[in-house]
Amino acid sequence: METAFITTSSLKNAWEELKAKEPQLRIRDAAQKLGVSEAELLATGMGDNVIRLKEDFVDQVQKFPKLGKVMSLTRNEGCVLEHKGTFQKIDIMQAGPQQIGTVIGPIEQRVFFGAWKFGFAVSNDTPRGPQNSLQYFDKEGNAVMKIFFQEETNLEFAELFLKDHQAEEQSPVLVLESFPAKEYIGREELDEASFSSDWENMKDTHDFFGMLRKYKLNRLNAVEWIDDKWAYEVDRLSSRKILESASETQLPIMIFAGNMGNIQIHQGKVNTIRMMGDWLNVMDPEFNMHLNESKVARAFVVHKNTTEGLVSALELFDKDGEMVAQFFGLRKPGIPQKPEWKALLDTLN
């Protein structure tokens, strides 16, 4: 324990020195520079501005609607989605450690609780005053979801929430685990005729995940190896054209981005599009997207069959083949996608 304390203390000091040199540096980037996970770095604030939460994460998320208006942030290495609103309707599916939550409303998410491991209540002083948040991390110490309180947040309930879910053990020492490596087949092992037939005969976009499991394919290889009729590569910066056109024509779209523990979804129109350095941004009052184009290595237009016709998307991948973000035309179950969306994708090359 003494060694762990020294390690935590040294890390905290190193972070303080780094903040003094680079006051604008975000904690995620600081953690990378210091060679630790974001959760480990955040935990150095225990006893100061950070409180560790219990691991009853399903119970905690089910209480989020009572917080009222918040800002929910979900990100991966290349894309950040931020929505201001309420957690309106939450459904929990499947018993056991692999429970999945479906959040519908102003904040829309697909939550994969099996990846969640650490939770913290955090209070930071900022130039605009105190900033309070709930922050959740996976077992590798990567952020899965952050909830930032707003002026309209129910702070009385937030206090009750913290009393109910504060962990008894407030140690800054975190025991991290690695996710098991996934095993995929090579192209020479793929039955391409069968794979192509299954793709063509999909009835629903969700059939895609079962198909990946059946053939032991990662997502990037699937879109690389399928016929051009169903998926083809386009310019890696194609999302600029998608967002600018959607803004100009007020075409409603969907944006999906996330990580091992959570996928956040934007549904609706986008208005203010801004480039800032490497970042392509949507800067609307209740929704922000920040896409780091330097992290986008490849982009594909992807079509899937459904009982309502084609569902088409622009899918962005990073250098490791991981999904950065997906863009769809806004549609509801039972209703075909808008022809304007398909026409827009058809202009990409």
Side-chain angles (χ1 to χ4, degrees), residues 52-90:
R52 191 164 177 172
L53 301 175
K54 297 176 183 177
E55 294 183 22
D56 55 347
F57 301 124
V58 173
D59 291 343
Q60 291 179 43
V61 171
Q62 286 180 309
K63 292 181 179 179
F64 283 178
K66 294 182 181 179
L67 289 170
K69 186 174 185 178
V70 296
M71 189 272 273
S72 177
L73 182 154
T74 302
R75 70 166 301 159
N76 53 49
E77 194 65 25
C79 190
V80 186
L81 297 188
E82 303 170 359
H83 285 91
K84 292 178 181 176
T86 57
F87 280 75
Q88 200 168 79
K89 185 174 185 293
I90 301 172

Side-chain angles (χ1 to χ4, degrees), residues 152-185:
E152 304 91 336
T153 300
N154 184 339
L155 297 181
E156 288 185 13
F157 179 76
E159 287 185 20
L160 294 174
F161 178 96
L162 188 54
K163 285 180 183 177
D164 286 344
H165 297 289
Q166 180 172 333
E168 289 185 19
E169 178 59 57
Q170 289 293 311
S171 168
V173 180
L174 307 184
V175 179
L176 303 183
E177 301 174 62
S178 295
F179 288 105
K182 295 179 180 178
E183 294 184 8
Y184 301 113
I185 65 168

Side-chain angles (χ1 to χ4, degrees), residues 82-268:
E82 303 170 359
H83 285 91
K84 292 178 181 176
T86 57
F87 280 75
Q88 200 168 79
K89 185 174 185 293
I90 301 172
D91 290 318
I92 305 296
M93 298 168 287
Q94 194 170 334
Q98 300 305 317
Q99 284 176 297
I100 298 172
T102 300
V103 182
I104 296 174
I107 294 171
E108 179 142 348
Q109 297 173 335
R110 304 295 178 263
V111 188
F112 306 98
F113 290 104
W116 290 41
K117 181 62 179 176
F118 308 106
F120 304 95
V122 183
S123 180
N124 287 321
D125 291 323
T126 76
R128 284 175 274 183
Q131 181 189 71
N132 297 304
S133 61
L134 302 172
Q135 303 191 20
Y136 299 93
F137 298 81
D138 66 25
K139 61 184 182 179
E140 292 185 344
N142 302 310
V144 293
M145 184 199 301
K146 298 181 181 181
I147 305 299
F148 292 91
F149 296 174
Q150 306 292 294
E151 286 185 11
E152 304 91 336
T153 300
N154 184 339
L155 297 181
E156 288 185 13
F157 179 76
E159 287 185 20
L160 294 174
F161 178 96
L162 188 54
K163 285 180 183 177
D164 286 344
H165 297 289
Q166 180 172 333
E168 289 185 19
E169 178 59 57
Q170 289 293 311
S171 168
V173 180
L174 307 184
V175 179
L176 303 183
E177 301 174 62
S178 295
F179 288 105
K182 295 179 180 178
E183 294 184 8
Y184 301 113
I185 65 168
R187 187 162 192 174
E188 69 281 356
E189 302 171 79
L190 177 64
D191 182 340
E192 295 199 27
S194 178
F195 171 54
S196 182
S197 175
D198 281 357
W199 189 305
E200 186 156 359
N201 289 294
M202 276 191 279
K203 305 296 183 190
D204 186 278
T205 56
H206 296 100
D207 294 345
F208 186 73
F209 303 105
M211 190 173 68
L212 293 180
R213 287 193 297 270
K214 175 181 176 180
Y215 291 99
K216 294 185 179 178
L217 290 173
N218 68 34
R219 192 177 195 114
L220 177 58
N221 287 155
V223 300
E224 279 183 307
W225 298 343
I226 194 62
D227 305 336
D228 286 352
K229 173 183 177 183
W230 301 111
Y232 54 90
E233 192 162 7
V234 294
D235 187 279
R236 70 178 188 87
L237 302 180
S238 293
S239 47
R240 286 190 197 180
K241 185 172 185 179
I242 291 293
L243 289 173
E244 288 168 357
S245 179
S247 172
E248 289 170 7
T249 63
Q250 287 295 279
L251 177 68
I253 62 173
M254 296 192 291
I255 307 171
F256 288 65
N259 49 61
M260 295 286 285
N262 190 41
I263 305 294
Q264 193 154 309
I265 305 162
H266 175 70
Q267 297 196 68

